[in-house]
Amino acid sequence: MKPTVLDLRGRKGQRFAMLTAYDFPTARLAAEGGIDLLLVGDSVGMVVLGYDSTTPVTVDDMVHHTKAARRGAPEAFLVADLPFLSFATPERALAASERLMKEAGADSVKLEGGEEVAPVVEALVRAGVPVLGHVGLTPQTASALGGYKLQGKDEATARRALDGAVALEKAGCWGVVLELVPAPLARLVTEKIAIPTIGIGAGGDCDGQVLVFHDLVGMFSGFTPTFVKRYTEAGAAIKAAIARYAAEVRSGAFPGEGQSFRMKEDVLRRIYGG
Ligand code: KIV
């Protein structure tokens, strides 16, 4: 049964698994595989749409992919990302969240940022929108952070992540993603806030973990962050299958008898005769 936001808050201290899904088949496989929470991340821009960052992803893109994921996993708790600049003001955030929840079927939105986005989170929560926060490495503003690199090694960035998580809890988030921060910092944040933390590249002491589907199954060849564990090499398996298909078409081995349809001899004769 689909958890409520209250159930999710109650999962503090329990380990749970979240995975990204951007389409019908992946969401269905993830749900069938027992994933607790699905995220239609704006990482869709990089792993599916071929952009070199998440910046170009639009609300329309997110609505399109969230709808597809929802069709694949009707019973899952589905979180959808608010893409870059779609939450620059409370009004824009409300409009984008309205589309993601009413049109596309998301159960919650996620947005990146710490103390600076607290007023937006407050406005969303006041309007009844469940919000998941995201601090540490925030890919939408990676450039300002010096690239896709570990956050929180020094006091200033560690404080920013910690204070951000505390501010997001105060603003009403039901949980906070901690991305690419040292494990001891993630542990401290997890101890300091009463809502669940969901780590990615943040060590094993977060309440939940999240991974990008294409990283987990080996289907994104751009780059693989060191914190990713590949559970299978689906990309290599798919490439090998495609190569065999192409070779069999060229050799005439495909389609064979088993993939062809028969018809009655007399019908064939009449057609030929006619
Ligand atoms: O967009 C995304 O997939 C994310 C996860 C990496 C947490 O934000």
Side-chain angles (χ1 to χ4, degrees):
M1 210 174 59
K2 187 192 285 192
T4 64
V5 172
L6 266 189
D7 295 332
L8 295 176
R9 282 174 171 270
R11 293 210 185 155
K12 182 78 190 167
Q14 299 169 19
R15 294 182 195 278
F16 56 88
M18 184 182 215
L19 184 65
T20 68
Y22 319 100
D23 57 33
F24 174 85
T26 312
R28 177 175 272 189
L29 288 172
E32 288 172 357
I35 286 296
D36 299 297
L37 299 174
L38 290 181
L39 170 64
V40 187
D42 62 352
S43 50
V44 68
M46 296 177 77
V47 298
V48 174
L49 302 177
Y51 298 128
D52 62 3
S53 77
T54 57
T55 308
V57 176
T58 64
V59 174
D60 280 344
D61 291 331
M62 293 307 302
V63 167
H64 177 78
H65 287 278
T66 303
K67 278 182 174 175
R70 172 50 83 207
R71 286 191 287 268
E75 300 301 326
F77 190 93
L78 195 68
V79 181
D81 257 333
L82 288 174
F84 182 55
L85 289 185
S86 69
F87 54 98
T89 63
E91 293 70 27
R92 292 191 67 178
L94 280 163
S97 302
E98 180 173 10
R99 290 199 61 201
L100 288 167
M101 292 186 71
K102 290 170 74 168
E103 203 178 313
D107 296 300
S108 169
V109 297
K110 174 169 85 58
L111 53 76
E112 294 183 9
E115 284 179 294
E116 72 283 8
V117 298
V120 174
V121 172
E122 277 167 13
L124 290 172
V125 172
R126 208 177 307 121
V129 177
V131 184
L132 176 62
H134 184 155
V135 296
L137 176 72
T138 44
Q140 291 172 8
T141 47
S143 177
L145 300 176
Y148 292 86
K149 57 183 201 189
L150 188 68
Q151 300 296 305
K153 266 200 306 191
D154 56 276
E155 191 177 336
T157 58
R159 274 203 188 285
R160 191 165 58 231
L162 175 59
D163 294 348
V166 170
L168 291 170
E169 177 186 25
K170 201 158 156 241
C173 283
W174 60 263
V176 181
V177 169
L178 305 179
E179 179 163 356
L180 207 49
V181 296
L185 176 62
R187 182 186 188 151
L188 174 67
V189 175
T190 302
E191 284 166 3
K192 283 259 178 195
I193 62 176
I195 52 175
T197 57
I198 306 177
I200 174 162
D205 291 319
C206 295
D207 300 298
Q209 295 290 330
V210 57
L211 276 181
V212 168
F213 169 80
H214 292 68
D215 289 336
L216 182 151
V217 300
M219 275 178 62
F220 182 60
S221 54
F223 67 95
T224 306
T226 48
F227 58 79
V228 165
K229 182 167 175 185
R230 284 207 174 173
Y231 285 84
T232 186
E233 292 295 342
I238 291 170
K239 227 189 291 182
I242 290 169
R244 273 180 53 209
Y245 159 69
E248 289 194 4
V249 168
R250 289 182 196 118
S251 73
F254 176 83
E257 276 290 303
Q259 297 89 34
S260 306
F261 301 94
R262 308 200 141 274
M263 67 188 288
K264 288 194 177 120
E265 280 300 325
D266 59 322
V267 176
L268 188 59
R269 242 189 333 267
R270 281 204 299 278
I271 302 279
Y272 266 102

